[in-house]
Amino acid sequence: MSHLQSLRGRRICLVGSTSGIARVVARELVARGAILHLGARDLEEARRDAVDLELRGGLPVSVGRFEALDLGSHAAFLAEARQRMGGLDCVLVAFGILGDQERARRDFADARQIMDLNYLAPASVLSHAAAMLEDQGTGGMLVALGSVAGDRGRPGNYTYGSAKAGLHAYLQGLRGRLASAGIRVLTVKPGPVDTPMTFGMGFPGGRLTAQPEAVARGIVRAMERGSEVVYVPCFWGLIMGVLKAIPESLFKRMKL
Amino acid sequence: MTKTKVGLAAETRKLAGWGRYPEATGLAVRPEKLSAVRAAVGSDRWSSVLARGLGRSYGDPAFNPEGCTLFTERLDRLISFDPASGWLRAEGGLSFRAILDLFLPRGWFLPVTPGTRHVTLAGALACDVHGKNHHRDGSVGRHVGGLRMLLASGEEVECSAQERPDLFHATVGGMGLTGLVLEAELRLRPIQTAMIRQQVRPAGDLDSLMALLEEHDNRVPYSVAWLDTVAEGRNLGRGVLLLGDHAGIADLPSSQARNPLSRRPGLRATVPFDAPGGLLNPTTIRAFNSTYYNLQKRKAGESLIALDPYFYPLDIVDDWNRMYGRSGFVQYQFVVPTSTARSTLVGVLEACARKGLASFLSVLKRFGPGAGNLSFPFEGYTLTLDFPVAPGLFEFLDDLDWMVLDAGGRLYLAKDARMSPATFRAMYPEFRRWLEVKHQVDPHDRFRSAQSVRLAMHSQEVSSR
C-alpha cells in the first residue's frame, strides 16, 4: 500500500522557478494547495508567475531574487523564503543549463559554467536547505532535478552529464545523512523535455521528448509518494537500466 | 549563454493551418518569457515575425514562412480576475480550454466561443471569432477590454475601444498584423450550471429553416443550423436548427443539481494517421449528410446536454483534420446581407449540387453587427462549407466568390487559403482604413503572414501612394 503525503499547506521554495519544468511544476503544486516561494534571477518574470499561480490556486505566492552563481547569497535567500512563507517544508531545486558541449570542449570556461550551474550551485542551495531543515527538526523534503544524462557519460554532453552525476551522488549522500532526521531527499531524473532548454535542438526521436505537463505530474506524484529516485517519464528508468548495463568497452564504440 | 538568457533558439518546422493546405517550411520560436518574446520580435535574425496561437485557423493566416513564426501558447499567465464583474486579464497565449478548466468550476463561461476550445485569447481576438450567440452578443471583440500590445518598434502600448481606438479596431480581427497582443482583457459570463438546454428543430427546406432561425434568434442565445448539402429539389437547404441556452439549477435533475458546475468530459478519440485517400470522400460525405439529417429529425425536441459536447463536438476527436487525408481541405465561409441571403444560399447550394460537391459539415447561422475594421461578421447569414482539396476545386470556389461578392458578402480571413487580393479588397471596404493604422504602427511590415503576403496587406501600399 502506497502512502500518499498530501502537499496541501506545505511551504515549498522553488529555486529556479522560471525554468521550463519548474513553472509547470508550480502550477501542479498550487492546484494541490501548496504554498510557494519562487526564487529566480528574472524577477519581472517570477512576479508574473506568482500572480498567475495565486489566481490559479487561491493561495499567496511570494517571490525572491535568486542568483545561482552568487553562492554567498543562498543562505539569506532561503531564510527569506522561510520568513515569507512562515516556515519551510520543502526546497525544490530546478535551475540549470544544458550548455553546448562543443563550445565547452573548446573553452573550459564554458565547461566550468555548466558545472557551476548544474552541480556547484545546486549543491550549495541543498547544503543550506539541509542545514535549515535539520535545525528546524520538523522533517521536510529536498528535491532536485538531475538528468538521465548523469547516469552515463556520453561524448555528446558529458560536461552537463558529469555535473548532473555529481549532483546525483550529492543527493544520495544527503539522503543517507538526513534519513534519521525524517527529511526525505528526492532525485528527479528527467529525459529530454520539450522546454526552452531543448527547443530547436531537433532531438532524435521526438517521441522520446516529454511534454512538461507530464513531467511535472510525475515529479509531484513522486513528492506525494515520498520517492527517492524517480525517472520522468518513467520509461527512462528502463532505458537507462539497459544503457548502464552495457560494458564500457562496448559503450565507447556506440554512437549515442 | 546568450541562448539561456533570452530563450531564443529557433528551429525549422513544417507549418500549416488547421486545414493543412497550404503547407510551408519556416523558422519557429516558442518564447516563454516576456524577455524572449521581446527579443524575438526585435531580432535581426529574421526579416519579419508573426504570432501564432494554437493554429486553428484553416488556411495560411497563422504562419510566416519568409520570417519567423512565434508560437505563443506558453505565454499563458493569468494577470487579474475580478469576480464581481467577470473581467479576466491574461497573456495572449492563454487557451480557451484553460479558461474553461479554471473558471467554469467557479461559475464563469466564455462570452463568445468558436467551435473549438483549442484557441488562444490573442488568436481569437486576431480573428475576431464568433460563436453560436453572434446574433445576440456579437463577436469576441465586443467582450474585450484593454489590450497590451508589443509593436514592431519594440514599444509596448495599451489600447481599447476608448484608448487608441484606431489601433484597437485594427487589431480586433486584424489577423495579428498590427503587433503582438501580450495581454488582453476578456469579460467572462456568469453561469449557474455546466449544462445546456438544447432544442432540435428540423426544417424540410431552406425557407422554413431560415424562418425558424429568424423566429428563434430573438429569444434564444445560442442558435445554429446544420445544413444538408446533399438534398436537392424541394428539399434543397433542408437542415436542423440547434438552439441552446444555459440551464439554470432548477432545470437540472436533483442528482445533478447538487453539483451543477461539474463537467462531463465525454469521449475522447484521436485520428492517429492521415486517412488513406481521405476517409471523407464524396461518397461518405453524401451518406453522412442524409444519415445525420434523419438522425437529428428523430431527436427533435428539448433535451439537457453537457456544455462541452454542445459547444465543442469536434474537440472529442483530436486531429480530426487528418480525416481529409494528405492533401488537406479548405473551409469556405461567407456572410451575405439578409436581403440577398436567400438567393445567394440557393445559388451556392445549387452550384455545389451541379458540381457534385458535398460538404461534410455545413453550418448556417444568422449574424449580428461586426466589431473591427477587418472583422468578418456583419448583419446577415453566414454559411460554412468544407471541401477536401482536389483538382478543379479552386476554380469552382472562384465562381462562388463572384456570387458572394455580387450579393454584397465577404469571406472569413480565418478560413481563407486562396482568395485573390482584388477579391479581398472588394469584400473588405474598411481595408483602407485598416491599412492607415497598419502603416502607423508597422511601417516596414515587420508583422507578416503567408496570408498577408498573398493578399498584399502591406504598409508599403500606403507609403508608395
Side-chain angles (χ1 to χ4, degrees), chain A residues 146-154 157 160-162 164-166 168 172 187-190 229-231 236-245 248 251:
Chain A
S147 169
V148 294
D151 275 6
R152 187 130 201 196
R154 293 188 298 110
N157 66 354
Y160 175 78
S162 70
K164 290 293 190 182
H168 294 169
Q172 275 176 333
T187 308
V188 180
K189 297 184 181 178
V229 180
V230 63
Y231 287 88
W236 278 101
L238 276 168
I239 297 177
M240 295 320 295
V242 172
L243 284 185
K244 278 194 289 191
E248 196 68 8
F251 192 77

PDB file of all heavy atoms in Angstrom, chain A residues 146-154 157 160-162 164-166 168 172 187-190 229-231 236-245 248 251:
ATOM      1  N   GLY A 146      17.905  16.226 -11.442  1.00  0.00           N
ATOM      2  CA  GLY A 146      19.107  15.695 -12.062  1.00  0.00           C
ATOM      3  C   GLY A 146      18.821  15.500 -13.536  1.00  0.00           C
ATOM      4  O   GLY A 146      18.125  16.318 -14.151  1.00  0.00           O
ATOM      5  N   SER A 147      19.332  14.423 -14.102  1.00  0.00           N
ATOM      6  CA  SER A 147      19.087  14.166 -15.516  1.00  0.00           C
ATOM      7  C   SER A 147      19.494  12.743 -15.854  1.00  0.00           C
ATOM      8  O   SER A 147      20.419  12.198 -15.252  1.00  0.00           O
ATOM      9  CB  SER A 147      19.875  15.136 -16.381  1.00  0.00           C
ATOM     10  OG  SER A 147      19.842  14.720 -17.733  1.00  0.00           O
ATOM     11  N   VAL A 148      18.833  12.172 -16.852  1.00  0.00           N
ATOM     12  CA  VAL A 148      19.290  10.878 -17.349  1.00  0.00           C
ATOM     13  C   VAL A 148      20.714  10.999 -17.887  1.00  0.00           C
ATOM     14  O   VAL A 148      21.465  10.028 -17.899  1.00  0.00           O
ATOM     15  CB  VAL A 148      18.361  10.309 -18.468  1.00  0.00           C
ATOM     16  CG1 VAL A 148      16.993   9.972 -17.907  1.00  0.00           C
ATOM     17  CG2 VAL A 148      18.246  11.274 -19.627  1.00  0.00           C
ATOM     18  N   ALA A 149      21.095  12.212 -18.290  1.00  0.00           N
ATOM     19  CA  ALA A 149      22.446  12.418 -18.812  1.00  0.00           C
ATOM     20  C   ALA A 149      23.500  12.174 -17.734  1.00  0.00           C
ATOM     21  O   ALA A 149      24.672  11.971 -18.045  1.00  0.00           O
ATOM     22  CB  ALA A 149      22.583  13.834 -19.369  1.00  0.00           C
ATOM     23  N   GLY A 150      23.080  12.219 -16.470  1.00  0.00           N
ATOM     24  CA  GLY A 150      24.027  11.990 -15.382  1.00  0.00           C
ATOM     25  C   GLY A 150      24.240  10.523 -15.071  1.00  0.00           C
ATOM     26  O   GLY A 150      25.083  10.176 -14.244  1.00  0.00           O
ATOM     27  N   ASP A 151      23.480   9.645 -15.717  1.00  0.00           N
ATOM     28  CA  ASP A 151      23.596   8.219 -15.450  1.00  0.00           C
ATOM     29  C   ASP A 151      24.766   7.582 -16.195  1.00  0.00           C
ATOM     30  O   ASP A 151      25.286   6.553 -15.791  1.00  0.00           O
ATOM     31  CB  ASP A 151      22.295   7.490 -15.825  1.00  0.00           C
ATOM     32  CG  ASP A 151      21.284   7.539 -14.699  1.00  0.00           C
ATOM     33  OD1 ASP A 151      21.558   8.225 -13.692  1.00  0.00           O
ATOM     34  OD2 ASP A 151      20.215   6.909 -14.819  1.00  0.00           O
ATOM     35  N   ARG A 152      25.115   8.167 -17.312  1.00  0.00           N
ATOM     36  CA  ARG A 152      26.238   7.614 -18.068  1.00  0.00           C
ATOM     37  C   ARG A 152      26.817   8.716 -18.958  1.00  0.00           C
ATOM     38  O   ARG A 152      26.068   9.388 -19.668  1.00  0.00           O
ATOM     39  CB  ARG A 152      25.741   6.456 -18.942  1.00  0.00           C
ATOM     40  CG  ARG A 152      26.865   5.721 -19.614  1.00  0.00           C
ATOM     41  CD  ARG A 152      26.773   4.228 -19.433  1.00  0.00           C
ATOM     42  NE  ARG A 152      28.080   3.617 -19.642  1.00  0.00           N
ATOM     43  CZ  ARG A 152      28.277   2.318 -19.860  1.00  0.00           C
ATOM     44  NH1 ARG A 152      27.252   1.498 -19.865  1.00  0.00           N
ATOM     45  NH2 ARG A 152      29.482   1.857 -20.033  1.00  0.00           N
ATOM     46  N   GLY A 153      28.110   8.872 -18.918  1.00  0.00           N
ATOM     47  CA  GLY A 153      28.757   9.916 -19.715  1.00  0.00           C
ATOM     48  C   GLY A 153      28.754   9.566 -21.193  1.00  0.00           C
ATOM     49  O   GLY A 153      29.018   8.430 -21.566  1.00  0.00           O
ATOM     50  N   ARG A 154      28.388  10.566 -22.011  1.00  0.00           N
ATOM     51  CA  ARG A 154      28.390  10.351 -23.464  1.00  0.00           C
ATOM     52  C   ARG A 154      29.155  11.490 -24.110  1.00  0.00           C
ATOM     53  O   ARG A 154      29.160  12.605 -23.579  1.00  0.00           O
ATOM     54  CB  ARG A 154      26.949  10.340 -23.994  1.00  0.00           C
ATOM     55  CG  ARG A 154      26.129   9.154 -23.523  1.00  0.00           C
ATOM     56  CD  ARG A 154      24.783   9.097 -24.249  1.00  0.00           C
ATOM     57  NE  ARG A 154      23.956  10.284 -23.995  1.00  0.00           N
ATOM     58  CZ  ARG A 154      23.690  11.210 -24.895  1.00  0.00           C
ATOM     59  NH1 ARG A 154      24.174  11.115 -26.120  1.00  0.00           N
ATOM     60  NH2 ARG A 154      22.935  12.238 -24.590  1.00  0.00           N
ATOM     61  N   ASN A 157      27.380  15.056 -24.447  1.00  0.00           N
ATOM     62  CA  ASN A 157      27.033  16.009 -23.377  1.00  0.00           C
ATOM     63  C   ASN A 157      27.649  15.629 -22.028  1.00  0.00           C
ATOM     64  O   ASN A 157      27.003  15.722 -20.998  1.00  0.00           O
ATOM     65  CB  ASN A 157      25.518  16.162 -23.261  1.00  0.00           C
ATOM     66  CG  ASN A 157      24.835  14.882 -22.807  1.00  0.00           C
ATOM     67  OD1 ASN A 157      25.479  13.839 -22.689  1.00  0.00           O
ATOM     68  ND2 ASN A 157      23.556  14.962 -22.520  1.00  0.00           N
ATOM     69  N   TYR A 160      27.776  18.439 -19.102  1.00  0.00           N
ATOM     70  CA  TYR A 160      26.482  18.521 -18.432  1.00  0.00           C
ATOM     71  C   TYR A 160      26.229  17.249 -17.622  1.00  0.00           C
ATOM     72  O   TYR A 160      25.855  17.292 -16.450  1.00  0.00           O
ATOM     73  CB  TYR A 160      25.395  18.715 -19.491  1.00  0.00           C
ATOM     74  CG  TYR A 160      23.965  18.716 -19.006  1.00  0.00           C
ATOM     75  CD1 TYR A 160      23.429  19.846 -18.396  1.00  0.00           C
ATOM     76  CD2 TYR A 160      23.140  17.610 -19.187  1.00  0.00           C
ATOM     77  CE1 TYR A 160      22.105  19.860 -17.971  1.00  0.00           C
ATOM     78  CE2 TYR A 160      21.819  17.617 -18.763  1.00  0.00           C
ATOM     79  CZ  TYR A 160      21.305  18.742 -18.163  1.00  0.00           C
ATOM     80  OH  TYR A 160      20.003  18.749 -17.745  1.00  0.00           O
ATOM     81  N   GLY A 161      26.473  16.104 -18.263  1.00  0.00           N
ATOM     82  CA  GLY A 161      26.208  14.821 -17.609  1.00  0.00           C
ATOM     83  C   GLY A 161      27.040  14.640 -16.346  1.00  0.00           C
ATOM     84  O   GLY A 161      26.540  14.147 -15.330  1.00  0.00           O
ATOM     85  N   SER A 162      28.295  15.086 -16.394  1.00  0.00           N
ATOM     86  CA  SER A 162      29.145  14.897 -15.217  1.00  0.00           C
ATOM     87  C   SER A 162      28.671  15.751 -14.053  1.00  0.00           C
ATOM     88  O   SER A 162      28.692  15.330 -12.895  1.00  0.00           O
ATOM     89  CB  SER A 162      30.597  15.242 -15.565  1.00  0.00           C
ATOM     90  OG  SER A 162      30.738  16.637 -15.774  1.00  0.00           O
ATOM     91  N   LYS A 164      25.561  16.643 -13.545  1.00  0.00           N
ATOM     92  CA  LYS A 164      24.350  16.016 -13.027  1.00  0.00           C
ATOM     93  C   LYS A 164      24.707  14.755 -12.240  1.00  0.00           C
ATOM     94  O   LYS A 164      24.072  14.445 -11.232  1.00  0.00           O
ATOM     95  CB  LYS A 164      23.400  15.686 -14.183  1.00  0.00           C
ATOM     96  CG  LYS A 164      22.771  16.934 -14.833  1.00  0.00           C
ATOM     97  CD  LYS A 164      21.824  17.660 -13.885  1.00  0.00           C
ATOM     98  CE  LYS A 164      21.025  18.741 -14.610  1.00  0.00           C
ATOM     99  NZ  LYS A 164      20.134  19.500 -13.695  1.00  0.00           N
ATOM    100  N   ALA A 165      25.736  14.017 -12.702  1.00  0.00           N
ATOM    101  CA  ALA A 165      26.155  12.824 -11.966  1.00  0.00           C
ATOM    102  C   ALA A 165      26.662  13.205 -10.579  1.00  0.00           C
ATOM    103  O   ALA A 165      26.356  12.535  -9.582  1.00  0.00           O
ATOM    104  CB  ALA A 165      27.246  12.101 -12.750  1.00  0.00           C
ATOM    105  N   GLY A 166      27.401  14.308 -10.529  1.00  0.00           N
ATOM    106  CA  GLY A 166      27.853  14.808  -9.234  1.00  0.00           C
ATOM    107  C   GLY A 166      26.677  15.144  -8.333  1.00  0.00           C
ATOM    108  O   GLY A 166      26.658  14.799  -7.144  1.00  0.00           O
ATOM    109  N   HIS A 168      23.702  13.880  -8.502  1.00  0.00           N
ATOM    110  CA  HIS A 168      23.050  12.628  -8.073  1.00  0.00           C
ATOM    111  C   HIS A 168      23.753  12.063  -6.841  1.00  0.00           C
ATOM    112  O   HIS A 168      23.115  11.660  -5.869  1.00  0.00           O
ATOM    113  CB  HIS A 168      23.103  11.572  -9.186  1.00  0.00           C
ATOM    114  CG  HIS A 168      22.297  11.931 -10.409  1.00  0.00           C
ATOM    115  ND1 HIS A 168      22.404  11.227 -11.588  1.00  0.00           N
ATOM    116  CD2 HIS A 168      21.388  12.908 -10.636  1.00  0.00           C
ATOM    117  CE1 HIS A 168      21.595  11.757 -12.484  1.00  0.00           C
ATOM    118  NE2 HIS A 168      20.970  12.786 -11.934  1.00  0.00           N
ATOM    119  N   GLN A 172      22.424  11.495  -3.063  1.00  0.00           N
ATOM    120  CA  GLN A 172      22.472  10.179  -2.398  1.00  0.00           C
ATOM    121  C   GLN A 172      23.042  10.311  -0.995  1.00  0.00           C
ATOM    122  O   GLN A 172      22.496   9.766  -0.027  1.00  0.00           O
ATOM    123  CB  GLN A 172      23.357   9.212  -3.201  1.00  0.00           C
ATOM    124  CG  GLN A 172      22.632   8.504  -4.316  1.00  0.00           C
ATOM    125  CD  GLN A 172      23.598   7.631  -5.122  1.00  0.00           C
ATOM    126  OE1 GLN A 172      24.802   7.902  -5.192  1.00  0.00           O
ATOM    127  NE2 GLN A 172      23.065   6.587  -5.722  1.00  0.00           N
ATOM    128  N   THR A 187      15.556  12.579  -5.849  1.00  0.00           N
ATOM    129  CA  THR A 187      16.323  12.867  -7.062  1.00  0.00           C
ATOM    130  C   THR A 187      15.418  12.627  -8.261  1.00  0.00           C
ATOM    131  O   THR A 187      14.915  11.519  -8.438  1.00  0.00           O
ATOM    132  CB  THR A 187      17.549  11.930  -7.178  1.00  0.00           C
ATOM    133  OG1 THR A 187      18.281  11.995  -5.960  1.00  0.00           O
ATOM    134  CG2 THR A 187      18.425  12.338  -8.346  1.00  0.00           C
ATOM    135  N   VAL A 188      15.200  13.673  -9.053  1.00  0.00           N
ATOM    136  CA  VAL A 188      14.365  13.541 -10.252  1.00  0.00           C
ATOM    137  C   VAL A 188      15.291  13.449 -11.457  1.00  0.00           C
ATOM    138  O   VAL A 188      16.189  14.280 -11.612  1.00  0.00           O
ATOM    139  CB  VAL A 188      13.418  14.744 -10.409  1.00  0.00           C
ATOM    140  CG1 VAL A 188      12.570  14.593 -11.655  1.00  0.00           C
ATOM    141  CG2 VAL A 188      12.543  14.911  -9.174  1.00  0.00           C
ATOM    142  N   LYS A 189      15.094  12.439 -12.279  1.00  0.00           N
ATOM    143  CA  LYS A 189      15.914  12.299 -13.484  1.00  0.00           C
ATOM    144  C   LYS A 189      15.034  12.363 -14.726  1.00  0.00           C
ATOM    145  O   LYS A 189      14.531  11.345 -15.184  1.00  0.00           O
ATOM    146  CB  LYS A 189      16.673  10.969 -13.451  1.00  0.00           C
ATOM    147  CG  LYS A 189      17.661  10.859 -12.293  1.00  0.00           C
ATOM    148  CD  LYS A 189      18.437   9.558 -12.395  1.00  0.00           C
ATOM    149  CE  LYS A 189      19.413   9.402 -11.232  1.00  0.00           C
ATOM    150  NZ  LYS A 189      20.135   8.110 -11.308  1.00  0.00           N
ATOM    151  N   PRO A 190      14.853  13.561 -15.253  1.00  0.00           N
ATOM    152  CA  PRO A 190      14.035  13.683 -16.464  1.00  0.00           C
ATOM    153  C   PRO A 190      14.833  13.266 -17.694  1.00  0.00           C
ATOM    154  O   PRO A 190      16.045  13.461 -17.755  1.00  0.00           O
ATOM    155  CB  PRO A 190      13.701  15.175 -16.536  1.00  0.00           C
ATOM    156  CG  PRO A 190      14.234  15.801 -15.284  1.00  0.00           C
ATOM    157  CD  PRO A 190      15.292  14.886 -14.770  1.00  0.00           C
ATOM    158  N   VAL A 229      14.320   8.166  -5.824  1.00  0.00           N
ATOM    159  CA  VAL A 229      14.837   8.461  -7.163  1.00  0.00           C
ATOM    160  C   VAL A 229      13.704   8.185  -8.138  1.00  0.00           C
ATOM    161  O   VAL A 229      13.068   7.137  -8.062  1.00  0.00           O
ATOM    162  CB  VAL A 229      16.051   7.579  -7.529  1.00  0.00           C
ATOM    163  CG1 VAL A 229      16.559   7.919  -8.929  1.00  0.00           C
ATOM    164  CG2 VAL A 229      17.151   7.753  -6.496  1.00  0.00           C
ATOM    165  N   VAL A 230      13.446   9.140  -9.026  1.00  0.00           N
ATOM    166  CA  VAL A 230      12.367   8.906  -9.984  1.00  0.00           C
ATOM    167  C   VAL A 230      12.790   9.367 -11.377  1.00  0.00           C
ATOM    168  O   VAL A 230      13.398  10.429 -11.542  1.00  0.00           O
ATOM    169  CB  VAL A 230      11.054   9.592  -9.535  1.00  0.00           C
ATOM    170  CG1 VAL A 230      11.213  11.103  -9.481  1.00  0.00           C
ATOM    171  CG2 VAL A 230       9.906   9.232 -10.447  1.00  0.00           C
ATOM    172  N   TYR A 231      12.534   8.526 -12.351  1.00  0.00           N
ATOM    173  CA  TYR A 231      12.726   8.897 -13.745  1.00  0.00           C
ATOM    174  C   TYR A 231      11.404   9.436 -14.276  1.00  0.00           C
ATOM    175  O   TYR A 231      10.348   8.846 -14.029  1.00  0.00           O
ATOM    176  CB  TYR A 231      13.136   7.671 -14.577  1.00  0.00           C
ATOM    177  CG  TYR A 231      14.557   7.201 -14.325  1.00  0.00           C
ATOM    178  CD1 TYR A 231      14.829   6.283 -13.312  1.00  0.00           C
ATOM    179  CD2 TYR A 231      15.608   7.673 -15.096  1.00  0.00           C
ATOM    180  CE1 TYR A 231      16.120   5.849 -13.076  1.00  0.00           C
ATOM    181  CE2 TYR A 231      16.913   7.243 -14.869  1.00  0.00           C
ATOM    182  CZ  TYR A 231      17.163   6.335 -13.858  1.00  0.00           C
ATOM    183  OH  TYR A 231      18.438   5.912 -13.631  1.00  0.00           O
ATOM    184  N   TRP A 236      12.146   6.019 -18.847  1.00  0.00           N
ATOM    185  CA  TRP A 236      13.584   6.296 -18.866  1.00  0.00           C
ATOM    186  C   TRP A 236      14.323   5.429 -17.854  1.00  0.00           C
ATOM    187  O   TRP A 236      15.523   5.182 -17.990  1.00  0.00           O
ATOM    188  CB  TRP A 236      13.865   7.783 -18.625  1.00  0.00           C
ATOM    189  CG  TRP A 236      13.707   8.554 -19.892  1.00  0.00           C
ATOM    190  CD1 TRP A 236      12.645   9.313 -20.258  1.00  0.00           C
ATOM    191  CD2 TRP A 236      14.616   8.583 -20.999  1.00  0.00           C
ATOM    192  NE1 TRP A 236      12.834   9.828 -21.513  1.00  0.00           N
ATOM    193  CE2 TRP A 236      14.040   9.397 -21.989  1.00  0.00           C
ATOM    194  CE3 TRP A 236      15.867   8.006 -21.249  1.00  0.00           C
ATOM    195  CZ2 TRP A 236      14.654   9.643 -23.213  1.00  0.00           C
ATOM    196  CZ3 TRP A 236      16.488   8.251 -22.465  1.00  0.00           C
ATOM    197  CH2 TRP A 236      15.876   9.070 -23.432  1.00  0.00           C
ATOM    198  N   GLY A 237      13.613   4.971 -16.831  1.00  0.00           N
ATOM    199  CA  GLY A 237      14.238   4.074 -15.867  1.00  0.00           C
ATOM    200  C   GLY A 237      14.695   2.799 -16.557  1.00  0.00           C
ATOM    201  O   GLY A 237      15.803   2.305 -16.334  1.00  0.00           O
ATOM    202  N   LEU A 238      13.835   2.287 -17.435  1.00  0.00           N
ATOM    203  CA  LEU A 238      14.164   1.072 -18.191  1.00  0.00           C
ATOM    204  C   LEU A 238      15.320   1.316 -19.155  1.00  0.00           C
ATOM    205  O   LEU A 238      16.288   0.564 -19.201  1.00  0.00           O
ATOM    206  CB  LEU A 238      12.942   0.635 -18.990  1.00  0.00           C
ATOM    207  CG  LEU A 238      11.926  -0.214 -18.252  1.00  0.00           C
ATOM    208  CD1 LEU A 238      10.647  -0.332 -19.066  1.00  0.00           C
ATOM    209  CD2 LEU A 238      12.530  -1.591 -17.987  1.00  0.00           C
ATOM    210  N   ILE A 239      15.190   2.412 -19.910  1.00  0.00           N
ATOM    211  CA  ILE A 239      16.217   2.714 -20.916  1.00  0.00           C
ATOM    212  C   ILE A 239      17.577   2.860 -20.244  1.00  0.00           C
ATOM    213  O   ILE A 239      18.579   2.273 -20.668  1.00  0.00           O
ATOM    214  CB  ILE A 239      15.862   4.005 -21.689  1.00  0.00           C
ATOM    215  CG1 ILE A 239      14.562   3.807 -22.461  1.00  0.00           C
ATOM    216  CG2 ILE A 239      17.004   4.397 -22.628  1.00  0.00           C
ATOM    217  CD1 ILE A 239      14.086   5.047 -23.197  1.00  0.00           C
ATOM    218  N   MET A 240      17.621   3.616 -19.154  1.00  0.00           N
ATOM    219  CA  MET A 240      18.904   3.858 -18.508  1.00  0.00           C
ATOM    220  C   MET A 240      19.419   2.592 -17.838  1.00  0.00           C
ATOM    221  O   MET A 240      20.637   2.369 -17.765  1.00  0.00           O
ATOM    222  CB  MET A 240      18.801   5.013 -17.498  1.00  0.00           C
ATOM    223  CG  MET A 240      18.488   6.376 -18.128  1.00  0.00           C
ATOM    224  SD  MET A 240      19.334   6.749 -19.693  1.00  0.00           S
ATOM    225  CE  MET A 240      21.050   6.819 -19.169  1.00  0.00           C
ATOM    226  N   GLY A 241      18.497   1.769 -17.372  1.00  0.00           N
ATOM    227  CA  GLY A 241      18.908   0.493 -16.791  1.00  0.00           C
ATOM    228  C   GLY A 241      19.690  -0.327 -17.801  1.00  0.00           C
ATOM    229  O   GLY A 241      20.750  -0.881 -17.505  1.00  0.00           O
ATOM    230  N   VAL A 242      19.173  -0.347 -19.024  1.00  0.00           N
ATOM    231  CA  VAL A 242      19.852  -1.088 -20.087  1.00  0.00           C
ATOM    232  C   VAL A 242      21.181  -0.412 -20.437  1.00  0.00           C
ATOM    233  O   VAL A 242      22.229  -1.056 -20.510  1.00  0.00           O
ATOM    234  CB  VAL A 242      18.947  -1.179 -21.345  1.00  0.00           C
ATOM    235  CG1 VAL A 242      19.715  -1.767 -22.518  1.00  0.00           C
ATOM    236  CG2 VAL A 242      17.709  -1.997 -21.029  1.00  0.00           C
ATOM    237  N   LEU A 243      21.144   0.899 -20.621  1.00  0.00           N
ATOM    238  CA  LEU A 243      22.360   1.622 -21.027  1.00  0.00           C
ATOM    239  C   LEU A 243      23.476   1.481 -19.994  1.00  0.00           C
ATOM    240  O   LEU A 243      24.646   1.342 -20.331  1.00  0.00           O
ATOM    241  CB  LEU A 243      22.047   3.109 -21.263  1.00  0.00           C
ATOM    242  CG  LEU A 243      21.328   3.450 -22.568  1.00  0.00           C
ATOM    243  CD1 LEU A 243      21.186   4.956 -22.716  1.00  0.00           C
ATOM    244  CD2 LEU A 243      22.103   2.892 -23.767  1.00  0.00           C
ATOM    245  N   LYS A 244      23.073   1.505 -18.709  1.00  0.00           N
ATOM    246  CA  LYS A 244      24.087   1.409 -17.654  1.00  0.00           C
ATOM    247  C   LYS A 244      24.732   0.021 -17.619  1.00  0.00           C
ATOM    248  O   LYS A 244      25.857  -0.129 -17.179  1.00  0.00           O
ATOM    249  CB  LYS A 244      23.468   1.740 -16.286  1.00  0.00           C
ATOM    250  CG  LYS A 244      23.371   3.238 -16.038  1.00  0.00           C
ATOM    251  CD  LYS A 244      23.080   3.581 -14.594  1.00  0.00           C
ATOM    252  CE  LYS A 244      21.659   3.228 -14.191  1.00  0.00           C
ATOM    253  NZ  LYS A 244      21.297   3.800 -12.890  1.00  0.00           N
ATOM    254  N   ALA A 245      23.975  -0.982 -18.108  1.00  0.00           N
ATOM    255  CA  ALA A 245      24.473  -2.359 -18.034  1.00  0.00           C
ATOM    256  C   ALA A 245      25.461  -2.693 -19.156  1.00  0.00           C
ATOM    257  O   ALA A 245      26.134  -3.711 -19.112  1.00  0.00           O
ATOM    258  CB  ALA A 245      23.295  -3.336 -18.069  1.00  0.00           C
ATOM    259  N   GLU A 248      31.678  -0.922 -20.606  1.00  0.00           N
ATOM    260  CA  GLU A 248      32.333   0.296 -21.086  1.00  0.00           C
ATOM    261  C   GLU A 248      33.040   0.073 -22.428  1.00  0.00           C
ATOM    262  O   GLU A 248      33.015   0.936 -23.306  1.00  0.00           O
ATOM    263  CB  GLU A 248      33.338   0.766 -20.025  1.00  0.00           C
ATOM    264  CG  GLU A 248      33.815   2.200 -20.183  1.00  0.00           C
ATOM    265  CD  GLU A 248      32.743   3.264 -19.918  1.00  0.00           C
ATOM    266  OE1 GLU A 248      31.643   2.919 -19.463  1.00  0.00           O
ATOM    267  OE2 GLU A 248      33.015   4.436 -20.190  1.00  0.00           O
ATOM    268  N   PHE A 251      30.328   0.256 -24.920  1.00  0.00           N
ATOM    269  CA  PHE A 251      29.614   1.536 -24.888  1.00  0.00           C
ATOM    270  C   PHE A 251      30.392   2.626 -25.596  1.00  0.00           C
ATOM    271  O   PHE A 251      29.829   3.478 -26.285  1.00  0.00           O
ATOM    272  CB  PHE A 251      29.353   1.936 -23.433  1.00  0.00           C
ATOM    273  CG  PHE A 251      28.382   3.077 -23.295  1.00  0.00           C
ATOM    274  CD1 PHE A 251      27.024   2.866 -23.440  1.00  0.00           C
ATOM    275  CD2 PHE A 251      28.827   4.376 -23.029  1.00  0.00           C
ATOM    276  CE1 PHE A 251      26.122   3.912 -23.311  1.00  0.00           C
ATOM    277  CE2 PHE A 251      27.930   5.421 -22.912  1.00  0.00           C
ATOM    278  CZ  PHE A 251      26.580   5.182 -23.045  1.00  0.00           C
TER     279      PHE A 251
END
